[in-house]
Amino acid sequence: MDDDRQSDDRYEDPFQRYSYRSGLIEALRESGGELVRGRVTVRTARSFGFCWGVDRAVAMVRDALRDHPGRRIWLLDQIIHNPRVNADFKAMGVRFLDGPFADPGAVATLGPDDVVIIPAFSAKVEDVERLERAGVTVVDTTCPWVVRPHRRTIKYVEDGFTTVIHGLVHHEETAASCSLVASRGGHFLVVADREQAEWLCATIRGELSGADLLGRLAPEAASRDFDPAQHLRRVGTINQTTMLASETRAIEAMIRAAIVARDGESDAHESFRELNTICRATQDNQDAVLALSESGPLDLLVVVGGYDSSNTRNLTRVGGDAFPSFHVLGPEAIDGDVIRHRDPSTGQVVETRGWLPSGDVAVGFTAGASTPDTLLGQVIERVLEAAGVPCAAPAGS
Ligand code: SF4
């Protein structure tokens, strides 16, 4: 972590998002999040879109381009999970070492003249060590909210606790947390949802064998030589910063109850610790969707963001079955009567016909922490177009 950059108050300015501003979104913010256009009531959540950590990371990439003219500027992987933003940086000359935009074989060519940017999600310890060996200049945009669970995992390792992570095993942030634990000689286990947490709890209670537990989880979900009989004696929980907050709370309670069932209430404090590490932006955006649904009619919700963005995916799940939620990548997902969206239950991208009800309709909108305002504004315009309503968007949208 580059502490000088972290404490630099230039990054506190919310208008760092200047390059992705939308006139329509600014008008919605000024109007209290509601505009009526013909038969459509557009309602935006009170909190959505670029978070402080993303604003900061994007600004730091721009600064790196400005501060290191003539040098190769690399991103270790996607800076955030939004294809538009990564494509913009690629167009500005930033190269990628890994991920969908990567230059194959580039890692072997790195040297002291190169600048490598670590994304907001952080990076695996072994990747950072590889950069240090290559002698590159490192710009670390790791979000301070991601550092918090990292600090806690180090404490768990020092105290002899196994870290149980509520997260997605292939997500960069969780992979970095696992790598940190392993580098300190500790052990970890990753559970993605309630079902996987229940397998873990059944093992703690002695109802499922350790071998069955490990056989059901992805190979990367457990640390090397993980021995459930030994390594589940003392566990401490953290979570990926962008998970569904209600699910994290439920999983923590499940694991605690399993430990109490095994050790008894009085001894559980010796063998169980927890820390909810959902970040403020994720919590605020999820709370805002709930508030939106409680404060007025809502026929459907449109969620805008990258399909591999964890926080965006979870915004689609917040409302449960109360109203249909459609997770779209951008305005091109909407073509009149058809909407192309990610189904949260299967993870597949599907097309739904007849998604927009006839007559008066209240459409809620929100966007993930890695979604620029411009994209959300364009999606709102496309929804109005699909409803046969002129947008009359303010200039600059
Ligand atoms: S979503 Fe949270 S953890 Fe991720 S960059 Fe934003 S503030 Fe940081």
Side-chain angles (χ1 to χ4, degrees):
M1 172 64 68
D2 182 339
D3 289 332
D4 290 333
R5 289 290 179 92
Q6 190 178 325
S7 61
D8 188 333
D9 63 8
R10 284 178 299 165
Y11 301 106
E12 307 266 353
D13 179 3
F15 290 100
Q16 286 285 358
R17 70 182 71 190
Y18 57 88
S19 63
Y20 290 114
R21 286 169 69 175
S22 157
L24 176 56
I25 297 304
E26 286 176 15
L28 272 157
R29 284 196 166 104
E30 284 165 16
S31 69
E34 187 165 312
L35 287 174
V36 179
R37 292 283 185 272
R39 71 183 184 92
V40 181
T41 300
V42 172
R43 301 181 62 218
T44 50
R46 64 167 186 250
S47 173
F48 59 82
F50 269 17
C51 58
W52 179 87
V54 166
D55 267 336
R56 172 178 172 275
V58 167
M60 288 176 76
V61 178
R62 289 177 175 277
D63 284 359
L65 283 163
R66 183 198 62 204
D67 294 345
H68 303 286
R71 296 174 70 179
R72 296 194 301 179
I73 310 288
W74 299 92
L75 269 161
L76 198 55
D77 203 328
Q78 302 181 72
I79 181 72
I80 53 176
H81 284 145
N82 189 280
R84 175 81 63 93
V85 174
N86 287 293
D88 285 351
F89 281 131
K90 192 171 174 75
M92 291 163 72
V94 178
R95 306 162 193 230
F96 292 74
L97 290 169
D98 206 350
F101 298 89
D103 291 354
V107 173
T109 72
L110 291 177
D113 289 339
D114 290 295
V115 177
V116 181
I117 300 164
I118 294 176
F121 320 107
S122 183
K124 293 182 199 167
V125 171
E126 51 270 32
D127 287 342
V128 175
E129 289 174 347
R130 192 179 59 196
L131 297 179
E132 287 170 357
R133 283 196 299 276
V136 304
T137 300
V138 172
V139 175
D140 189 346
T141 77
T142 300
C143 177
W145 283 96
V146 172
V147 174
R148 191 164 164 257
H150 285 180
R151 288 204 183 108
R152 177 52 72 108
T153 60
I154 291 170
K155 181 76 176 135
Y156 285 156
V157 173
E158 288 172 352
D159 293 350
F161 279 65
T162 290
T163 303
V164 172
I165 305 171
H166 174 215
L168 305 176
V169 73
H170 294 121
H171 189 283
E172 294 92 328
E173 181 192 324
T174 291
S177 297
C178 294
S179 146
L180 181 61
V181 173
S183 75
R184 301 278 175 139
H187 286 277
F188 63 81
L189 196 75
V190 182
V191 292
D193 51 30
R194 283 184 175 86
E195 182 182 29
Q196 294 187 1
E198 181 47 38
W199 300 339
L200 166 62
C201 292
T203 303
I204 291 172
R205 293 191 300 263
E207 298 162 3
L208 182 72
S209 75
D212 279 348
L213 170 66
L214 296 180
R216 293 181 184 192
L217 296 173
E220 304 88 347
S223 49
R224 186 186 296 233
D225 300 327
F226 192 90
D227 175 3
Q230 180 185 351
H231 298 132
L232 294 179
R233 293 307 311 168
R234 305 176 89 196
V235 301
T237 64
I238 60 165
N239 48 272
Q240 192 179 303
T241 53
T242 51
M243 300 305 278
L244 187 62
S246 56
E247 187 172 62
T248 284
R249 284 193 292 272
I251 286 174
E252 286 169 350
M254 288 165 65
I255 297 173
R256 186 181 190 287
I259 297 275
V260 168
R262 183 190 67 189
D263 299 348
E265 183 72 47
S266 59
D267 289 342
H269 71 278
E270 294 288 342
S271 46
F272 178 71
R273 293 182 188 171
E274 61 189 321
L275 181 69
N276 184 335
T277 50
I278 297 280
C279 79
R280 176 74 60 80
T282 297
Q283 184 74 63
D284 286 351
N285 287 355
Q286 291 177 9
D287 289 348
V289 169
L290 289 175
L292 186 69
S293 64
E294 288 164 5
S295 63
L298 198 60
D299 294 303
L300 61 105
L301 180 74
V302 177
V303 181
V304 186
Y307 289 148
D308 49 0
S309 161
S310 167
N311 79 86
T312 309
R313 288 183 189 182
N314 285 322
L315 286 174
T316 315
R317 301 170 63 204
V318 172
D321 297 328
F323 43 82
S325 295
F326 298 101
H327 176 179
V328 301
L329 207 49
E332 62 285 347
I334 296 165
D335 186 6
D337 196 32
V338 176
I339 189 167
R340 190 167 54 258
H341 60 104
R342 180 183 181 278
D343 183 329
S345 57
T346 65
Q348 301 297 310
V349 178
V350 297
E351 290 190 345
T352 299
R353 189 172 292 277
W355 61 281
L356 190 61
S358 57
D360 290 345
V361 60
V363 184
F365 291 89
T366 187
S370 46
T371 305
D373 280 2
T374 40
L375 267 184
L376 177 59
Q378 289 162 2
V379 168
I380 294 174
E381 288 176 22
R382 191 63 74 92
V383 169
L384 292 171
E385 199 180 301
V389 173
C391 175
S397 66

